[in-house]
Amino acid sequence: MRHILLLGGTTEASALATALAARGERAMLSYAGRTEAPRVQAIPTRVGGFGGVEGLAAYMIREGVTHLVDATHPFAARISANAMAAATAAGVPLLALTRPEWVEGPGDRWIRVGNTGEAVARLGFEPTRVFLALGRQTIGDFASAPQHFYLLRFVDAAAPPALPRHHLVVDRGPFTLAGELALLREHRIQMVVAKNAGGSGARAKLDAARELGLPVVMVDRPFIPPRPQVGSVAAVLDWLDHGVVRGV
Ligand code: 3Y8
Ligand code: NAP
């Protein structure tokens, strides 16, 4: 019987987990443990790092994993690199389940940057009111620009960040257009900073920014080396059943 290891942490990973459970597949969804109460899944889950490439390869051999699906977030570049190396080392076939980047559309006012460090520079010097929709891990980059007001949104309550003027919202997605419009208006936001995550779970803030005519500093995805990848749960199931990769 095959045994699928699913590296999770995205809406797509959760949808795949539900589909695998419905088929009675033997599968395990893996979380890093970044949040206090990760979503309950339809398949068993494990929480915590593996201990690098070697740890992940050893885990797959020990557990008899037959298929590795990387459905992690496009900014989770390290686990994706580790997954490729560990799959090769352990002789386990790998497939990535990804989602297309968001693209700028009519009415959008995007300022594309390569990383959060560049994003800080694009905020300008004049104090402005910024929705920093990047989560918690990269907030430190903005300590060098304390003159701005930052609206922050974390999944879990955390110690106040070293940003003198901020308001912290504790909420997890997926988010709605109505909710994002209300949030931007309530805090008189003048600019949004976002990662090009893609998918539906976090895109409402972009639609709200467009509707309000706000500029969006959009952080491009980190480079992830080429690997077999698909863009839907159905294509992952095809791969499991027929070894076919119907690319993105
Ligand atoms: C721990 C698992 C599901 C998956 C839901 C998706 C949608 C909601 C939108 C904003 C942007 C952000 C953040 C975000 C979204 C989905 C998806 C997505 C962005 C959970 C989850 C885990 C994490 C980790 C967390 C990061 C943070 C990033 C918040 C669960 C809820 C900003 C990314 O406090 C921390 O350390 C948080 C860390 C990595 C980025 C950061 O740098 O802070 N996600 N998010 C996963 C693990 O432990 O392995 O708790 O249920 C998953 C989801 N977050 O099944 O419904 O598919 O993308 N997650 C970004 O895109 O910019 C919020 O606020 O507008
Ligand atoms: P990362 O920087 O790519 O990975 C750093 C280390 O965290 C990895 O080397 C691994 O530790 C561990 N790790 C990461 N994802 C894991 C997983 N699913 N299962 C087990 N260990 C994992 O990771 P990240 O960007 O912090 O993302 C962590 C998690 O949050 C992932 O599940 C990702 O899908 C989710 N997420 C991230 C973002 C984001 O913006 N980065 C957004 C939404 C969701 P070891 O080396 O010890 O194995």
Side-chain angles (χ1 to χ4, degrees), residues 144-168:
S144 62
Q147 71 271 31
H148 304 303
F149 166 82
Y150 293 102
L151 172 61
L152 306 175
R153 181 157 62 190
F154 293 174
V155 177
D156 299 314
L163 296 171
R165 300 175 60 216
H166 74 270
H167 175 79
L168 174 60

Side-chain angles (χ1 to χ4, degrees), residues 40-51:
V40 175
Q41 295 290 341
I43 59 176
T45 57
R46 64 171 295 288
V47 179
F50 293 97

Side-chain angles (χ1 to χ4, degrees), residues 8 60 90 132 240:
M60 291 196 285
L132 215 43
L240 290 173

Side-chain angles (χ1 to χ4, degrees), residues 11 14 32-35 39 73 99 136 153 172 205:
T11 306
S14 298
R34 293 277 184 283
T35 53
R39 174 192 290 271
H73 190 275
R99 57 230 185 154
R136 186 172 58 98
R153 181 157 62 190
R172 65 168 56 222
K205 59 180 175 278

Side-chain angles (χ1 to χ4, degrees), residues 41 43 54 76 79 95 128 138 141 145 153 163 186 222 233 243:
Q41 295 290 341
I43 59 176
E54 297 71 24
I79 187 64
L95 182 71
T128 189
T138 56
D141 292 348
R153 181 157 62 190
L163 296 171
E186 178 188 356
V233 166

Side-chain angles (χ1 to χ4, degrees), residues 8-15 29-41 47-48 72-75 99 102 131-139 153-156 158 171-175 180 193-203 205:
T10 58
T11 306
E12 291 75 12
S14 298
L29 184 143
S30 179
Y31 282 124
R34 293 277 184 283
T35 53
E36 285 168 11
R39 174 192 290 271
V40 175
Q41 295 290 341
V47 179
T72 58
H73 190 275
F75 278 71
R99 57 230 185 154
W102 292 318
F131 176 25
L132 215 43
L134 304 176
R136 186 172 58 98
Q137 296 184 113
T138 56
I139 293 298
R153 181 157 62 190
F154 293 174
V155 177
D156 299 314
D171 194 0
R172 65 168 56 222
F175 303 104
E180 302 292 63
V193 183
K195 292 177 190 168
N196 198 327
S200 56
R203 106 137 275 139
K205 59 180 175 278

